[in-house]
């Protein structure tokens, strides 16, 4: 039996890097310090043993070489290939994905387009007053969770960085930090808040604007109630924000994927800007998929754009709403799809998934997912953080080196994609 410390959890954007793994007979038998979600990933046993291919509607096992060749042929034959996913894999594999996509003139998109794409659009418009989670842990005496529910979505966020995490300037965090939760329903996170602000669905933009007005000293123009929130509570919340020493606003899909979309986020950034005239205040998107932040970094430093990048003109082109995966699939535009380390079959609209079923769809993923059911080929790979290593970015933009705990026979995403890329180059040079 051996113990490995300081492992990085491969599940959500918190990238908890204090996991202790117990290994016996080349198997992980325990993952300490991990939440139940992370535990399920570390201890997951339902991995495919070898690539599987669908022939006449029946799955058959196939070899890695055949699977790689099938993928290369499919992508090279396609007029408008789509490569989607990338959030569950390491940055090195994402790099190769970009190179492949540029070579074949396809569209490459990550799960960003269905989660925090609007946050990026807002940040491009008005900037990002962000900071590291370490700064939040050590300094923030006011935490706001807006449209997110970390108790269920990021189970250790509060114990590692906010509510329960003692910091350098907060020796008794639970008593010294105030917590505000803003949501349309009373979530479990709302249950531990000092102030729960219940907003009517679609009313976030109005509430943010009201808070900005109050902080600007224009509270007298605020009506009795804004989107279901009383003026009295708005004034109380504004006062809490103005008088804290360091405030940190975290927000989730309850703000990005509702009415208002990126305008909600740019308004929230303006609110944080307003608050910085009185105190220190920061804003951080609660990135969900593990290395989704890394996909934005890698895409940006390689193409100039963070997601939904279209190479059909030979140069990178970016127009979310047109070049994002859902739009391409909904218009039935792509004629082949490669899904890497994500599960659009579980999250995309029905029409998009139906189109994936109608075209050749290839999945590179360690586990069978709902996308497998509409795919023609699945290639199992090593899991970064378990039997593959690489680089991943935490939700605050901090890159972490992710070690592996086991040696296995599974190739990593980088190995599989490199072989595909080499074969594509060979065809191009012929
Ligand atoms: S909070 Fe996220 S990164 Fe941390 S252990 Fe749980 S699933 Fe893993």
């Amino acid at each position: 039996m051996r113990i490995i410390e300081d492992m990085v959890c491969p599940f959500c954007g918190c990238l908890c890097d204090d996991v202790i793994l117990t290994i016996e007979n080349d198997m992980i038998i325990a993952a300490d310090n991990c939440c139940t979600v992370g535990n399920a990933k570390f201890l997951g046993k339902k991995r495919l043993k070898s690539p599987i291919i669908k022939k006449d509607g029946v799955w058959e096992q196939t070899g890695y070489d055949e699977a790689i060749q099938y993928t290369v042929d499919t992508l090279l034959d396609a007029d408008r290939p789509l490569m989607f996913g990338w959030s569950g894999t390491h940055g090195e594999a994402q790099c190769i994905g970009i190179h492949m996509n540029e070579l074949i003139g396809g569209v490459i998109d990550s799960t960003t387009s269905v989660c925090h794409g609007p946050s990026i659009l807002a940040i491009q418009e008005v900037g990002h007053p962000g900071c590291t989670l370490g700064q939040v842990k050590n300094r923030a005496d006011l935490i706001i969770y807006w449209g997110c529910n970390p108790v269920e979505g990021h189970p250790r966020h509060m114990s590692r960085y906010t509510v329960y995490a003692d910091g350098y300037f907060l020796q008794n965090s639970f008593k010294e930090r105030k917590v505000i939760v803003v949501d349309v329903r009373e979530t479990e996170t709302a249950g531990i808040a000092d102030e729960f602000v219940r907003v009517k669905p679609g009313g976030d933009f109005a509430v943010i604007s009201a808070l900005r007005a109050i902080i600007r000293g224009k509270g007298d123009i605020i009506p009795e109630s804004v989107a279901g929130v009383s003026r009295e509570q708005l004034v109380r919340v504004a006062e809490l924000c103005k008088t804290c020493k360091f405030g940190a606003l975290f927000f989730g899909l309850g703000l990005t994927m509702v009415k208002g979309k990126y305008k909600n986020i740019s308004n929230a950034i303006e609110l944080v800007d307003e608050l910085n005239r009185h105190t220190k205040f920061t804003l951080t998107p609660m990135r969900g998929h593990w290395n989704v932040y890394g996909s934005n970094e890698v895409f940006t430093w390689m193409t100039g754009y963070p997601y939904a990048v279209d190479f059909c003109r030979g140069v990178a082109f970016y127009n979310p709403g047109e070049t994002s995966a859902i739009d391409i699939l909904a218009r039935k535009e792509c004629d082949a799809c490669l899904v890497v380390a994500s599960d659009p079959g579980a999250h995309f609209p029905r029409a998009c998934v139906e189109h994936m079923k109608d075209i050749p769809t290839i999945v590179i993923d360690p586990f069978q997912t709902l996308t497998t059911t509409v795919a023609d080929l699945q290639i199992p790979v090593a899991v970064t953080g378990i039997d593959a290593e690489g680089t991943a970015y935490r939700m605050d933009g901090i890159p972490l080196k992710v070690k592996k705990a086991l040696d296995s026979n599974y190739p990593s995403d980088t190995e599989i994609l490199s072989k595909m890329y080499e074969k594509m180059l060979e065809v191009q040079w012929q």
Side-chain angles (χ1 to χ4, degrees), residues 10 29 47 51 62-63 70 86 101-102 126 132 191 201 233 260 333 360 377 385 388 428:
I29 57 163
R47 289 167 69 170
T62 186
Y70 177 91
W86 308 102
N101 195 64
E102 184 172 13
V126 282
T132 64
Q233 188 176 31
E333 204 173 291
L377 170 72
Q428 294 288 315

Side-chain angles (χ1 to χ4, degrees), residues 75-312:
L75 292 176
L76 287 177
D77 279 352
D79 291 325
R80 187 109 172 101
L82 169 68
M83 296 165 69
F84 175 79
W86 308 102
S87 304
T89 189
H90 43 272
E92 293 79 353
Q94 293 164 350
C95 283
I96 300 165
I98 296 275
H99 284 305
M100 274 170 70
N101 195 64
E102 184 172 13
L103 190 72
I104 61 177
V107 177
I108 188 162
D109 192 13
S110 76
T111 54
T112 306
S113 61
V114 287
C115 61
H116 278 280
S119 311
I120 293 182
L121 295 181
I123 286 167
Q124 286 170 336
E125 196 173 88
V126 282
H128 182 200
C131 72
T132 64
L133 291 171
Q135 291 276 9
V136 173
K137 175 185 159 150
N138 287 313
R139 296 174 188 277
D141 57 344
L142 177 71
I143 306 292
I144 302 178
Y145 285 116
W146 197 311
C148 55
N149 181 14
V151 169
E152 288 178 2
H154 300 79
R156 294 188 71 213
H157 194 268
M158 292 193 294
S159 57
R160 269 176 66 81
Y161 306 115
T162 63
V163 186
Y164 307 109
D166 289 344
Y168 190 80
F169 296 108
L170 292 108
Q171 303 296 329
N172 189 350
S173 164
F174 189 60
K175 287 197 175 142
E176 290 175 61
R177 286 192 222 269
K178 288 262 179 292
V179 180
I180 300 171
V181 172
V182 188
D183 216 319
V184 294
R185 65 189 174 96
E186 196 165 347
T187 58
E188 282 194 51
T189 310
I192 53 102
D194 297 283
E195 190 80 51
F196 171 51
V197 182
R198 188 176 204 139
V199 182
K200 279 190 183 158
D204 302 271
F205 188 91
V207 171
I208 296 168
S209 300
L211 287 172
R212 284 179 64 189
I214 295 167
I215 290 159
R216 238 326 142 95
K218 308 283 183 196
D220 50 335
I221 60 164
I222 302 299
E224 277 301 304
S225 163
V226 177
V229 186
S230 68
R231 182 169 60 199
E232 191 191 353
Q233 188 176 31
L234 287 168
V235 169
R236 202 165 58 236
V237 167
E239 196 56 27
L240 277 173
C241 293
K242 266 170 68 176
T243 53
C244 72
K245 289 188 193 139
F246 189 119
L249 166 57
F250 293 95
F251 65 97
L253 304 198
L255 201 57
T256 64
M257 284 294 164
V258 293
K259 196 172 162 194
K261 286 209 160 183
Y262 88 97
K263 284 292 178 193
N264 290 338
I265 316 306
S266 53
N267 208 12
I269 294 171
E270 301 278 11
L271 169 66
V272 168
D273 179 42
E274 193 71 46
L275 284 164
N276 273 295
R277 293 160 207 237
H278 301 272
T279 181
K280 274 220 178 304
F281 228 96
T282 64
L283 169 142
T284 307
M286 293 284 275
R287 306 308 298 268
H289 299 97
W290 182 59
N291 188 25
V292 62
Y293 196 112
S295 73
N296 303 140
E297 290 284 324
V298 172
F299 282 32
T300 302
W301 50 255
M302 291 186 71
T303 73
Y305 302 114
Y307 63 101
V309 187
D310 187 351
F311 276 100
C312 75

Side-chain angles (χ1 to χ4, degrees), residues 326-335 351 354-355 358-359:
I326 281 191
D327 303 279
I328 301 258
L329 285 163
R331 292 196 302 266
K332 301 186 189 298
E333 204 173 291
C334 57
D335 53 354
E354 280 174 353
H355 185 59
D358 292 341
I359 59 175

